[in-house]
Amino acid sequence: MSTRLAKGGRLIDRAAALEFSFNGKRLKGYRGDTLAAALLANDQMLVGRSFKYHRPRGIVAAGPEEPNALVNLGSGGRLEPNQRTTVTELFDGLEATSQNHWPSLEYDVGVVNNYVSRFLPAGFYYKTFIHPRSFWKHVFEPVIRQSAGLGKAPKDRDADRYEQAYAFCDLLVVGGGIAGLQAALVAGRAGARVLVLEQNAHWGGRAPVDGDVIDGKPAGQWVDEAVAALEGMETVTLRARCMAAGVYDHGYVLADEKVADHAPGDGRPKHRLWRIRAGKILTATGAIERPLSFAGNDIPGVMLAASVRDYVVNWAVSPGDRTVVVTNNDDGYRTAIALREAGLAVPAIVDARASPAGDLVARARALGLRIEAGRGIAKVKGGKRVTSVAICLQAGEGAVIDEIACDAVAMSGGWSPVVHLWSHCGGKLIWDMEHACFRPDPARPPLNHDGGALVVAAGAANGAMTADAALLDATAQAEAAVAALGMKPKKAKAPLAEAVVEGPMEAVWIMPQGASIELKSKMWLDYQNDVKVSDVQLAAREGYESVEHTKRYTTLGMATDQGKLSNINGLAVLAQALNEDIPQVGTTTFRPPYTPVTLGALAGEARGEIFQPLRRTPMHGWHEKNGAYFEPVGLWRRPYCFPRAGETHEQAVHREVVNTRTALGLLDASTLGKIIVKGPDAGKFLDMLYTGVMSTLPVGKCRYGLMCNEQGFLSDDGVVARIDEETWLCHTTSGGADRIHAWMEDWLQCEWWDWQVYTANVTEQYAQVAVVGPNARKLLEKLGGMDVSKEALPFMAWADGTLGGFPCRVYRISFSGELSYEIAVPASHGAAFWEALHAAGAEFGVMPYGTEALHVMRAEKGFIMIGDETDGTVIPQDLGLDWAISKKKADFLGKRGQQRNFLASGERWKLVGFETLDGSVIPDGAYIVASGANANGQGNTQGRVTSTYYSPTLKKGIAMGLLHRGPERMGDVVEFNTVKGGTVKARVVDPVFYDKEGEKQNV
Amino acid sequence: MKRYSVFAIAREALRHHTGWERAWKSPEPKKEYDAIIVGAGGHGLATAYYLGKNHGIRNVAIIEKGWLGGGNTGRNTTIIRSNYLQDSSAAIYEKSRSLYETLSQDLNYNVMFSPRGVMMLAQTHHEVRGYLRTAHANALQGVQTEFITPQRVKELCPILNIDGPRYPVLGALWQARGGTGRHDAVAWGYARACSEMGMDVIQQCEVKGVRSENGKVTGVETSKGFIGCRKLGIVVAGHSGQLAEMAGFRLPVEAVALQALVSEPIKPCMDIVVMANTVHGYMSQSDKGEMVIGGGTDGFNNYTQRGSFHHIEETLRALIETFPIISRLKMLRQWGGIVDMTGDRSPIISKTPLGNCFINCGWGTGGFKAIPGSGWAMAELMAKGEPGPLAAEFDMWRFKEGRFIDESVAAGVAH
Amino acid sequence: METGCNMLLLECPYCGVKAEETELSPGYEAHLKRFGPGSTDEEFEAYMFARKNPKGVHFERWRHTYGCGKWFLAARCTATLEVFGTYPAQVGEPPADIIEKIKARRPDWKGYK
């Protein structure tokens, strides 16, 4: 059984006992425990079920590479599925439940998959479930979906918050082991701005566990001193619990800091996402131990050897009373020695190598440990827990020589440098024969924006596998990195670690090497996804020869650990099956993030109402107070209507229309784009921008203008006012202000840069109110301050002045067909001015109206709306706006595009009005049907509706739309389709339904 | 070639699956073929398959620089739908969707087409009108879609937040027979079927040049030597510009990066595909339980398969607002693809200035769903030398005439 | 095969700020010659649609939108994202020093035309 040892544990505080629960069971641990350590201390080796076969799964590792020990952590708004117990710091009250089983962890019905696993090899689903056709969606897939997945789906909104922060540094050091700390010391002493990230809560990495001695001191002491020295350096920042997730181009690094995972609900953000811009990145990310592929290597109790050592040394937890060590390298002996020194039994060290030698082997011999050289494990026995191992010759086919009773197996298949961050941005790898691993190829690093190396690797991450080599490498790499940054490293003695002479490792990819297919179908490569040696061999046999094919076909390395344990082993098996060398087969892709990152952290503070920037007009508060129903317009929110108690939106809109047409309406038009264009060449410039002529507009007057893109399609419209000789004010659509301003600048800066024109987007500098209706003038006259009479301020004129004491600019323009003034006041006066209009307008029947009433009224007048009548494929000529296009100008933006034959054709759909024969409203989006069908069997069309409303003024449905040769077909009856089938008949009419002569707006 | 079936699996299980044959052969190239397709992605393989199946042209090689299906076919979010606005788009995507319905049976390879339904949320009034327009267009095009209410949206996808503070859901365009497929399987299934017809799928073979005589293509220079052909089809997505240059013409396409990501797997919580175009994000749940997430493209030329990170952040903000329960899930992996965008964001299936050389490209972000239909139309074009009705509008000269096939007009719809 | 993300860093030649991509708006090909009325259909099509799309050295437009607001031009490799330099938009062709730098870094480069 696994248990807590009486003594030791360098990371735990035995004085701080914590209580937690697993599957409802109340258990005890200590501060400093990981959840995995605490579970093992409570003899909870079985922690989950595998993805495909629902096999029992135990803790394998002690770090982020853990594939098995994932739990649902917390509940409700704090439920976090797939949480790795090996990196979850224990806290008081922690609740965890195991995953992927029903009804319980111990008795899982899904394990039936395991009994028929023979029928479910890699890719079986591609070969079956083909007939009958409907069964995939309705029978097979639902079963597969239910059986797949791991953690519980959360049901509640996240109770925590996240924040994001920026950091900048010369050198980013990733990894706080001895190599990373030494590199930081070198860079810090040189005066570089250094940021050091460590994913764990503690510093030092493996060295203190492995008993290394540095400069004559225990590694732990050296680490403490190094950390203290770094903390004393002004240019160095240390950040623990912070995982570098991805390296992106131009030195951008994303790191996830677990701020309050170990203290949930304490008010701090759960995570902080760091966006780091580094001059250079040094990855001292260490290495990950590989499992060995022998039959039954997935049974709970089989663990990575170094992880077993971690549990013993760091947390005083013994994974088993009797642990068999199986290895192909000397490092496995460290575990055997650590176990023995902790007073635990090591019945045997099974070493695949024929003649192991080296300092550690000698120490193990001296301790009297039994070494089975040249041997391998034929099979692990046990169900939910290891009971024994059968020993065989590594060189043979698996004939059992001996069986050794044990309750744990510590395996070591060698070490793989963590090259993820090196690879994210294009760094290439080379195969290291000595350690049988891929390591960074210094000749082909990922490149920075200047074409130089962006990343350097150091220590074990660079293939320097022993403490002494790692420190030397870290020193050299950091010095080179500092020099490349243009700084001078200080002369300092590199720390020396006591060398431990290790014998060569021997690559072992299958144990025993001649294993039968029966054994190979019990050798797990990917524990979580249930991919075995036999599956990879099957993929190779079937022609899925590229690593990417094999990976995708078998799902090897696609589990939540992203192949940290399985990729190299799988690759080696594939290479063997293809009879090729490993480097020829290549590596799989290293995709960010290094370990999974919470989505909430990636979204940061941008949640709820501010998940996008929110733009408010100065009158927004009034609208909210007065019950406006808003609609989003770009990032703005505009009142759609102002419903009164008991009113539907439709009723409110009708009321607003009728009131505006018969009395007085106010519209908050502040969102309308306002761009000042000024300079000696401003007129010439506007003549290029607009289809019409703006240079001839007299000062004091307004003119409606259209803008097209270079293709000739309508892009924006609005009223332009000539302010003075050199100044024009261009109104744009609400959504268009920023786009049009950028468009103007584009032309001015990149094409006509010798023209003297300046632009300024003053949209938010002014609040603007449309005062509309027969009583509009009465209201303004009551406020007083300037002459707004027909004579002083005729239609399409503007004037500066004051109204009711407010400084304002009044435009006599109308988008409703009524007597209308659009009044701009400085934004800071907007709210007060709006309220003053309401107060003074009460006697004239004033009401606010929203965007929908605006739409209805402009449709009644046959005014087009960008985005309704236009959709990016419509040219002004389609809309009967030829009058707004200058025939005289040699050039304007869009003119050449409109000359292309498809646009210049007479066969285009053109704007007309429609009136249904029965007075009903044509459905939004309806098409006008034509006879017959096209070559693809689709019903022919000859037009479509673009705006369709019930007109409360005319008390019937009105519509505008585009019809093939429309203006030539006045009086024709056409049919609009409906989605239910059937059609609506309508007569082609003039699009101006209301006040055709414009008498109302000109009064 | 052995047929795949549950019986075959049972038979093979008895001998530990040691009897399975290669899914496709890996031959050395012959000296000459009737037709060469450059690009063994989904579109190229489908083109070859329908050349053989519909037109009896089987002396065909499909040449691939890397591994088959290793480009965008294996890098997308696997959405299949045909609720397009313009007639020519709706025609080819609906053809494609209907071919997907029976593709597993046609290929004897389970491509896991799952018509779980695709929902496109309308979150502004403008978007409502846009989707109503699409619904009306679809009704005449024979594409089954409907515009549904927010309540129905919630019923179909209970984890969806329809009352968000910024963009409450006002309705949705719903295509019940849209869905997802298994992307790799589509490439693999076509490759196996092509191989079975005697075609050569030649991987790890890079085209270095296009050879022509008298304005007609005669073959391609490759890393495995010159290979002659009577007809050449270029179907290489993001790398179309390079191939066109070799063939001596310039294409109206630009290569940009598109990104996607998946979360860690969780138990089923979402049975349909949801696209939220106003806020730029879409999401579905794979059969493995991963939430599959996609967003927008970059605005600059890029061949690195690495898109801009801020798009990932924007997409996730949008989706966490839309699906609040995903906030505590974790991003498992994230990747990019190079997509080729044309001037109107619609594809090109066209003859080219070079005789007997044909091009199929410009699928942008919408390629996966189009694979069978695109292959079908391209095969017809290559076999007959002239486009059939499906490809007729997608020629590369439409830009000159201003004859756009613009899908973005509906409501800024991402493909 | 690599696959991750980028986050370009470009120096604005006007304000000297090393601006992150989120501060910038991309604008595709630089040094375009506009074809307006009087041009042939072919010229107009080439100007509008047949934009350069090289896998390698590319000249492109960027706007320092959330900074000084200026458009500037950048020489960048689309295959590696290496930036050879940025320069003001008010020039007809790339500056000589940037051309030299590109030639040094990419001996096979065929030139900007």
Side-chain angles (χ1 to χ4, degrees):
Chain A
M1 62 184 291
S2 62
T3 182
R4 181 84 67 181
L5 299 167
K7 291 186 305 203
R10 54 182 284 273
L11 298 179
I12 54 168
D13 176 1
R14 289 185 194 250
L18 304 174
E19 222 176 69
F20 71 103
S21 76
F22 179 71
N23 287 344
K25 241 187 316 184
R26 290 160 72 93
L27 304 169
K28 282 200 164 56
Y30 295 117
R31 174 159 307 136
D33 267 332
T34 63
L35 177 54
L39 285 169
L40 284 176
N42 287 280
D43 196 27
Q44 188 67 50
M45 179 61 86
L46 174 66
V47 288
R49 294 276 173 169
S50 67
F51 197 87
K52 186 170 167 186
Y53 302 142
H54 288 247
R55 284 174 65 89
R57 285 286 176 255
I59 296 163
V60 173
E65 68 273 29
E66 173 64 39
N68 288 345
L70 313 180
V71 294
N72 296 307
L73 193 69
S75 58
R78 292 213 156 85
L79 170 66
E80 194 159 0
N82 304 322
Q83 187 63 20
R84 278 173 193 69
T85 56
T86 51
V87 295
T88 303
E89 293 176 56
L90 197 67
F91 55 84
D92 210 30
L94 179 150
E95 299 168 33
T97 56
S98 52
Q99 303 185 154
N100 207 33
H101 48 66
W102 186 84
S104 75
L105 177 59
E106 281 72 22
Y107 304 99
D108 176 16
V109 169
V111 78
V112 66
N113 288 356
N114 185 33
Y115 301 121
V116 296
S117 63
R118 202 175 225 214
F119 298 94
L120 313 176
F124 75 95
Y125 31 76
Y126 299 122
K127 296 175 179 153
T128 181
F129 306 138
I130 296 174
H131 296 279
R133 185 155 73 87
S134 62
F135 270 41
W136 173 251
K137 169 73 178 97
H138 295 291
V139 182
F140 304 130
E141 191 183 36
V143 173
I144 287 175
R145 281 172 88 83
Q146 208 54 52
S147 141
L150 283 173
K152 251 194 257 178
K155 288 198 163 50
D156 300 311
R157 188 176 274 273
D158 195 339
D160 282 311
R161 67 189 178 89
Y162 304 84
E163 66 179 29
Q164 299 187 335
Y166 286 89
F168 301 88
C169 59
D170 298 320
L171 185 70
L172 175 70
V173 175
V174 182
I178 57 170
L181 293 173
Q182 170 59 14
L185 284 168
V186 169
R189 284 185 196 125
R193 287 182 306 162
V194 183
L195 176 59
V196 191
L197 306 181
E198 165 57 45
Q199 62 187 355
N200 291 311
H202 53 273
W203 300 90
R206 290 216 59 79
V209 180
D210 291 352
D212 290 315
V213 177
I214 303 171
D215 285 345
K217 293 171 267 200
Q221 190 188 332
W222 184 88
V223 166
D224 291 344
E225 289 170 11
V227 169
L230 289 166
E231 280 171 344
M233 293 185 192
E234 222 162 83
T235 60
V236 177
T237 308
L238 297 172
R239 209 165 279 288
R241 296 193 175 100
C242 191
M243 185 268 301
V247 169
Y248 304 126
D249 288 278
H250 297 188
Y252 192 77
V253 177
L254 210 67
D256 185 25
E257 182 183 3
K258 298 184 195 173
V259 180
D261 268 3
H262 57 294
D266 75 348
R268 289 182 295 170
K270 178 173 156 66
H271 288 197
R272 185 179 294 127
L273 189 81
W274 287 94
R275 298 140 144 183
I276 301 161
R277 190 68 81 160
K280 237 180 210 321
I281 299 153
L282 184 142
T283 57
T285 43
I288 291 176
E289 194 170 24
R290 294 189 294 257
L292 285 163
S293 300
F294 48 82
N297 64 350
D298 71 321
I299 294 171
V302 180
M303 298 172 71
L304 292 172
S307 299
V308 167
R309 197 154 83 230
D310 287 337
Y311 285 112
V312 171
V313 177
N314 282 339
W315 297 290
V317 168
S318 86
D321 295 345
R322 295 166 57 82
T323 304
V324 168
V325 174
V326 53
T327 187
N328 65 349
N329 65 79
D330 280 12
D331 191 61
Y333 286 77
R334 283 198 177 92
T335 298
I337 294 164
L339 287 166
R340 169 57 68 88
E341 284 174 349
L344 296 162
V346 179
I349 300 172
V350 179
D351 192 327
R353 297 172 296 178
S355 40
D359 293 353
L360 294 164
V361 179
R363 269 181 69 194
R365 283 215 173 91
L367 285 170
L369 292 171
R370 169 181 165 194
I371 298 171
E372 293 280 350
R375 301 282 161 93
I377 290 182
K379 198 175 185 181
V380 178
K381 296 193 175 166
K384 288 171 194 158
R385 184 72 200 243
V386 173
T387 54
S388 69
V389 292
I391 306 295
C392 65
L393 289 173
Q394 168 58 19
E397 293 175 10
V400 177
I401 299 170
D402 195 2
E403 191 169 326
I404 304 174
C406 59
D407 57 359
V409 176
M411 61 183 164
S412 179
W415 291 78
S416 298
V418 174
V419 297
H420 299 66
L421 297 177
W422 171 272
S423 303
H424 282 169
C425 225
K428 300 290 185 288
L429 304 173
I430 46 174
W431 181 251
D432 180 330
M433 290 289 283
E434 186 189 346
H435 297 113
C437 65
F438 280 106
R439 64 178 164 81
D441 180 355
R444 295 178 297 162
L447 301 182
N448 209 341
H449 57 92
D450 57 3
L454 171 62
V455 182
V456 289
N462 199 27
M465 294 297 196
T466 57
D468 53 327
L471 283 171
L472 290 174
D473 186 51
T475 307
Q477 299 296 346
E479 284 176 352
V482 166
L485 287 165
M487 282 172 261
K488 218 175 133 103
K490 290 248 162 51
K491 286 263 174 266
K493 197 169 70 72
L496 278 180
E498 263 176 30
V500 176
V501 177
E502 292 190 14
M505 63 95 70
E506 188 179 301
V508 169
W509 306 116
I510 294 176
M511 179 175 268
Q513 63 90 20
S516 66
I517 181 73
E518 281 87 355
L519 288 179
K520 286 192 284 200
S521 39
K522 295 288 174 205
M523 293 177 187
W524 262 254
L525 291 167
D526 188 317
Y527 296 110
Q528 189 185 113
N529 272 358
D530 283 320
V531 182
K532 299 156 294 174
V533 167
S534 57
D535 292 316
V536 170
Q537 292 178 330
L538 172 64
R541 189 177 310 128
E542 292 193 274
Y544 300 89
E545 293 169 334
S546 103
V547 197
E548 285 293 333
H549 283 167
T550 301
K551 172 179 144 184
R552 288 153 182 261
Y553 191 64
T554 63
T555 72
L556 175 84
M558 298 188 81
T560 62
D561 60 314
Q562 289 288 285
K564 289 189 181 69
L565 296 189
S566 61
N567 273 349
I568 299 297
N569 286 350
L571 192 62
V573 170
L574 177 65
Q576 272 188 359
L578 297 173
N579 206 16
E580 280 182 30
D581 291 335
I582 291 172
Q584 271 175 311
V585 176
T587 53
T588 50
T589 311
F590 293 92
R591 302 176 198 274
Y594 172 59
T595 60
V597 177
T598 303
L599 300 184
L602 294 167
E605 298 96 333
R607 294 163 69 174
E609 196 178 40
I610 57 155
F611 98 89
Q612 286 183 350
L614 178 59
R615 300 177 77 180
R616 298 183 178 92
T617 73
M619 294 80 117
H620 192 90
W622 190 95
H623 302 329
E624 276 183 338
K625 253 182 277 165
N626 287 274
Y629 165 67
F630 288 98
E631 69 164 329
V633 178
L635 297 173
W636 295 102
R637 308 196 70 202
R638 297 191 73 183
Y640 175 93
C641 62
F642 294 83
R644 293 178 169 176
E647 252 182 359
T648 65
H649 293 165
E650 193 183 11
Q651 288 165 338
V653 169
H654 293 172
R655 172 180 49 74
E656 291 169 13
V657 169
V658 169
N659 185 71
T660 303
R661 290 232 184 274
T662 56
L664 182 59
L666 297 181
L667 174 80
D668 178 0
S670 306
T671 60
L672 212 64
K674 307 164 202 81
I675 300 170
I676 290 172
V677 179
K678 186 180 180 75
D681 294 317
K684 179 162 83 166
F685 174 61
L686 292 178
D687 283 350
M688 284 302 294
L689 226 62
Y690 285 92
T691 60
V693 181
M694 291 301 167
S695 55
T696 59
L697 180 63
V699 173
K701 293 289 184 192
C702 301
R703 188 172 286 167
Y704 176 69
L706 301 171
M707 275 190 245
C708 294
N709 57 24
E710 272 277 71
Q711 305 223 40
F713 300 122
L714 257 176
S715 118
D716 209 80
D717 71 345
V719 170
V720 178
R722 181 87 177 256
I723 305 301
D724 60 32
E725 242 348 273
E726 286 202 348
T727 313
W728 281 255
L729 184 116
C730 304
H731 286 111
T732 74
T733 56
S734 290
D738 296 327
R739 177 172 53 86
I740 296 299
H741 183 239
W743 169 247
M744 289 177 170
E745 283 297 319
D746 191 349
W747 288 102
L748 284 173
Q749 293 182 37
C750 302
E751 185 73 19
W752 303 311
W753 66 74
D754 51 338
W755 293 11
Q756 294 185 56
V757 185
Y758 305 90
T759 69
N761 183 356
V762 296
T763 301
E764 296 191 9
Q765 271 60 49
Y766 296 93
Q768 199 146 319
V769 183
V771 180
V772 183
N775 296 339
R777 187 173 288 134
K778 287 181 210 159
L779 169 60
L780 302 189
E781 282 168 354
K782 180 180 172 191
L783 286 173
M786 63 188 287
D787 188 352
V788 293
S789 67
K790 185 179 179 182
E791 295 69 31
L793 193 59
F795 187 56
M796 296 308 271
W798 66 269
D800 282 338
T802 62
L803 282 170
F806 293 94
C808 62
R809 176 169 290 163
V810 184
Y811 305 91
R812 199 48 222 284
I813 54 180
S814 177
F815 198 43
S816 56
E818 296 301 327
L819 170 63
S820 162
Y821 299 84
E822 290 208 9
I823 305 166
V825 297
S828 54
H829 292 287
F833 182 62
W834 176 260
E835 294 202 28
L837 288 169
H838 275 277
E843 62 174 295
F844 307 115
V846 71
M847 283 183 197
Y849 68 92
T851 50
E852 187 66 359
L854 171 147
H855 276 116
V856 173
M857 288 191 281
R858 66 93 196 163
E860 289 173 341
K861 268 297 282 181
F863 291 146
I864 65 124
M865 186 84 177
I866 297 290
D868 286 342
E869 275 60 47
T870 73
D871 65 0
T873 64
V874 172
I875 56 177
Q877 293 87 338
D878 295 340
L879 302 182
L881 295 169
D882 305 70
W883 58 269
I885 306 168
S886 165
K887 309 284 180 300
K888 292 185 198 139
K889 290 195 298 186
D891 193 6
F892 59 82
L893 298 180
K895 186 179 173 91
R896 177 62 186 87
Q898 289 164 5
Q899 291 166 343
R900 289 177 293 170
N901 61 17
F902 190 72
L903 278 69
S905 154
E907 301 297 318
R908 292 181 67 85
W909 292 3
K910 296 201 166 201
L911 189 79
V912 289
F914 297 103
E915 254 176 13
T916 51
L917 300 189
D918 60 2
S920 64
V921 180
I922 297 168
D924 240 319
Y927 275 77
I928 305 169
V929 298
S931 59
N934 64 22
N936 289 313
Q938 301 167 316
N940 283 327
T941 55
Q942 53 174 328
R944 62 185 181 87
V945 75
T946 56
S947 292
T948 171
Y949 297 97
Y950 174 76
S951 163
T953 312
L954 305 168
K955 301 209 166 27
K956 62 177 179 184
I958 59 163
M960 281 190 273
L962 299 167
L963 173 66
H964 181 232
R965 291 184 165 275
E968 299 164 29
R969 297 168 61 181
M970 288 295 157
D972 282 9
V973 173
V974 295
E975 292 183 51
F976 287 86
N977 79 324
T978 68
V979 287
K980 296 191 186 78
T983 58
V984 178
K985 286 198 171 83
R987 180 166 288 116
V988 181
V989 297
D990 186 275
V992 185
F993 290 90
Y994 176 76
D995 187 26
K996 284 192 207 303
E997 278 67 49
E999 286 163 5
K1000 296 200 167 245
Q1001 67 194 15
N1002 288 330
V1003 291
Chain B
M1 193 173 285
K2 262 183 213 152
R3 282 192 70 74
Y4 290 161
S5 69
V6 67
F7 308 108
I9 292 214
R11 201 164 51 236
E12 278 300 321
L14 302 179
R15 43 176 168 166
H16 292 278
H17 302 278
T18 52
W20 292 109
E21 303 169 353
R22 295 182 65 93
W24 51 79
K25 293 185 276 291
S26 259
E28 284 305 304
K30 293 191 276 192
K31 272 175 78 174
E32 195 178 27
Y33 293 90
D34 289 342
I36 287 179
I37 311 291
V38 185
H43 290 258
L45 290 163
T47 300
Y49 175 75
Y50 295 112
L51 268 178
K53 190 178 175 205
N54 294 355
H55 306 282
I57 301 173
R58 301 193 170 186
N59 182 22
V60 174
I62 307 104
I63 297 178
E64 169 59 47
K65 181 170 75 168
W67 298 97
L68 71 89
N72 293 342
T73 301
R75 298 172 163 271
N76 59 80
T77 49
T78 80
I79 297 171
I80 296 166
R81 63 181 182 88
S82 62
N83 52 351
Y84 280 70
L85 175 68
Q86 310 290 4
D87 283 352
S88 33
S89 311
I92 197 161
Y93 286 105
E94 175 59 15
K95 175 73 186 177
S96 201
R97 199 203 58 76
S98 68
L99 288 169
Y100 265 123
E101 292 259 10
T102 57
L103 197 58
S104 297
Q105 294 74 36
D106 289 350
L107 299 178
N108 180 231
Y109 200 102
N110 189 356
V111 303
M112 302 181 207
F113 172 63
S114 176
R116 51 186 62 249
V118 174
M119 181 189 281
M120 295 167 80
L121 300 180
Q123 290 174 283
T124 65
H125 292 279
H126 184 248
E127 213 171 10
V128 169
R129 287 193 291 272
Y131 288 141
L132 284 170
R133 180 178 167 192
T134 305
H136 282 90
N138 289 162
L140 292 167
Q141 290 154 346
V143 177
Q144 284 175 25
T145 60
E146 60 178 314
F147 191 83
I148 57 174
T149 62
Q151 289 66 40
R152 178 103 173 94
V153 166
K154 187 80 184 167
E155 283 163 26
L156 285 163
C157 187
I159 66 168
L160 223 157
N161 175 23
I162 62 168
D163 301 314
R166 289 299 292 278
Y167 300 102
V169 172
L170 304 174
L173 185 66
W174 170 240
Q175 182 171 27
R177 295 301 292 179
T180 57
R182 175 81 184 96
H183 54 12
D184 293 323
V186 173
W188 299 340
Y190 274 122
R192 177 167 168 265
C194 287
S195 186
E196 192 176 4
M197 279 193 276
M199 297 179 179
D200 291 348
V201 183
I202 302 163
Q203 301 177 85
Q204 303 283 286
C205 178
E206 184 174 1
V207 171
K208 310 261 193 188
V210 175
R211 208 188 275 180
S212 62
E213 261 168 48
N214 304 323
K216 288 195 172 147
V217 72
T218 56
V220 288
E221 311 283 354
T222 76
S223 54
K224 298 192 177 184
F226 176 78
I227 312 174
C229 66
R230 289 180 190 87
K231 288 181 176 178
L232 180 65
I234 298 172
V235 195
V236 295
H239 292 90
S240 299
Q242 273 75 55
L243 266 292
E245 203 179 313
M246 291 176 202
F249 58 95
R250 199 187 265 195
L251 276 174
V253 299
E254 307 218 36
V256 299
L258 173 72
Q259 302 172 82
L261 63 101
V262 295
S263 76
E264 293 184 341
I266 52 169
K267 289 292 174 189
C269 64
M270 181 182 183
D271 197 40
I272 64 170
V273 181
V274 174
M275 307 179 74
N277 291 308
T278 289
V279 295
H280 301 300
Y282 43 97
M283 185 165 96
S284 64
Q285 187 172 21
S286 74
D287 286 345
K288 277 188 74 182
E290 298 158 333
M291 309 311 289
V292 183
I293 290 171
T297 51
D298 293 345
F300 55 89
N301 302 56
N302 187 348
Y303 286 90
T304 63
Q305 295 184 335
R306 304 195 293 271
S308 298
F309 187 74
H310 62 98
H311 283 304
I312 297 278
E313 293 186 335
E314 279 158 21
T315 298
L316 287 172
R317 283 175 197 147
L319 290 176
I320 288 174
E321 271 314 293
T322 314
F323 306 95
I325 69 146
I326 69 169
S327 175
R328 291 177 88 90
L329 305 187
K330 300 187 198 81
M331 175 168 86
L332 179 57
R333 58 177 178 273
Q334 170 241 318
W335 67 93
I338 307 166
V339 299
D340 42 333
M341 301 288 241
T342 68
D344 61 2
R345 303 289 184 264
S346 286
I348 292 171
I349 307 172
S350 180
K351 298 200 277 186
T352 71
L354 180 62
N356 291 339
C357 174
F358 304 89
I359 189 141
N360 180 339
C361 68
W363 291 96
T365 60
F368 174 72
K369 67 178 79 70
I371 286 172
S374 159
W376 184 286
M378 181 71 174
E380 187 174 10
L381 171 65
M382 286 186 69
K384 295 179 180 166
E386 291 295 331
L390 281 178
E393 301 284 321
F394 292 105
D395 65 274
M396 64 182 276
W397 291 280
R398 66 178 185 271
F399 303 97
K400 190 163 77 181
E401 296 166 21
R403 197 164 31 78
F404 270 29
I405 305 166
D406 194 341
E407 282 298 326
S408 66
V409 306
V413 174
H415 290 236
Chain C
M1 188 197 303
E2 77 277 13
T3 169
C5 264
N6 66 65
M7 183 61 88
L8 303 183
L9 195 64
L10 298 172
E11 184 171 319
C12 173
Y14 294 98
C15 57
V17 165
K18 274 190 184 143
E20 186 162 299
E21 203 184 312
T22 48
E23 286 178 48
L24 306 167
S25 310
Y28 293 101
E29 188 180 340
H31 303 299
L32 276 180
K33 177 174 168 10
R34 177 172 179 257
F35 283 89
S39 58
T40 64
D41 278 357
E42 287 69 25
E43 284 167 338
F44 184 72
E45 184 203 15
Y47 157 58
M48 287 302 297
F49 302 107
R51 300 278 167 95
K52 284 182 187 160
N53 186 30
K55 184 175 184 176
V57 178
H58 191 42
F59 296 88
E60 62 191 357
R61 305 169 345 117
W62 289 87
R63 185 176 181 225
H64 195 188
T65 308
Y66 301 102
C68 66
K70 286 286 196 180
W71 280 96
F72 63 89
L73 307 182
R76 185 177 61 92
C77 176
T78 62
T80 66
L81 306 189
E82 180 174 349
V83 179
F84 305 107
T86 56
Y87 51 101
Q90 292 78 31
V91 292
E93 55 184 52
D97 61 324
I98 288 181
I99 297 281
E100 284 314 306
K101 191 170 171 194
I102 298 170
K103 281 182 178 159
R105 299 278 311 157
R106 298 283 188 281
D108 297 341
W109 181 52
K110 294 194 187 82
Y112 117 91
K113 299 269 174 181

